[in-house]
Amino acid sequence: AGYATLKTGKWWEGDSHEWGFDKSNKDYGFLDVNIGRKTMEPVYDFIAGTQGQGKPFFIWLAIHIPHSNHNGAPADIQQYWQDRWSKGNGWKYMAMITWLDRVIGELNAFLTINGLAQDTLIAFLADNGAGLQPSKGSFSEGGLRSPLQLYFPGTILPQVREELVSSVDLFPTMLDYAGLPTSSACSDKISLKALLEGTIQGRQELTTVKSGGEIRAVRDTRFKSYFKSGKPVARYDLLLDPFEKKNLR
């Protein structure tokens, strides 16, 4: 489809060029960890270059904010949260969130100033939901229920949706918005574009499998069930018990 592609920020899959990316932040002389924290220069330079070539672009932007250690936020943001936090070091995490908001806001301003915002779909997601514990690596709501936001000015109206979706649904969604055909790799995924337009419904359930396949969790719009070696071991009513304290089995 002629897209120029950039990998920038956190990445666990080896050489990004082998995955089809044209460029990475390292091609611009910046380490992964510095993207968003110290600079957004590779992102802005890459976008400017694509516009000079008349090409559409795709960017993987994985900023190390928030991420331990929770330090480095601009002084004004740190002071803001210190003044409003009465106990402990929770203000440091809140400062990281605000810092991330600022960086994304600056990116959106760059797109707007350059006349690209109306033609750019931004998908925001996280790899775990730290607001509920336990989170990372867990099948709890803290591990599975994480932010997923789509921002496409003039195309997607502001709204909150309650349907079940997964981050893997972003693949067919982006193909759909780009006007490209889906592939066999999308057979178990749904397009969020179609969901937002009302032509399909959300998922009836989501299945999550632990590495090795021994443990899995199946969640619908209200209940979550856990299985170990194929046998049911727990069931929770997430409406009444979001912290999964009362096993209904």
Side-chain angles (χ1 to χ4, degrees), residues 44-119:
Y44 298 148
D45 285 353
F46 175 78
I47 293 175
T50 64
Q51 298 314 289
Q53 299 168 357
K55 285 187 173 183
F57 59 84
F58 172 85
I59 298 174
W60 167 272
L61 173 59
I63 300 172
H64 282 243
I65 312 171
H67 199 284
S68 60
N69 297 319
H70 296 145
N71 55 25
D76 64 311
I77 294 177
Q78 293 191 51
Q79 191 62 57
Y80 176 90
W81 282 109
Q82 279 184 290
D83 292 345
R84 287 160 177 79
W85 207 263
S86 59
K87 187 178 180 180
N89 291 320
W91 66 268
K92 292 184 178 181
Y93 187 79
M94 298 305 297
M96 298 292 284
I97 297 294
T98 304
W99 187 13
L100 176 62
D101 286 345
R102 178 177 291 182
V103 172
I104 298 301
E106 291 169 351
L107 171 61
N108 187 50
F110 175 87
L111 294 171
T112 301
I113 291 170
N114 287 277
L116 298 170
Q118 297 287 322
D119 296 318

Side-chain angles (χ1 to χ4, degrees), residues 3-9 11 15-29 32 42-43 45-47 49-50 53 58-60:
Y3 274 75
T5 55
L6 170 70
K7 188 288 301 180
T8 182
W11 180 260
D15 186 353
S16 59
H17 298 92
E18 294 181 358
W19 288 83
F21 284 95
D22 299 320
K23 296 281 188 178
S24 81
N25 47 266
K26 293 181 180 179
D27 295 326
Y28 292 87
D32 293 355
V43 177
D45 285 353
F46 175 78
I47 293 175
T50 64
Q53 299 168 357
F58 172 85
I59 298 174
W60 167 272

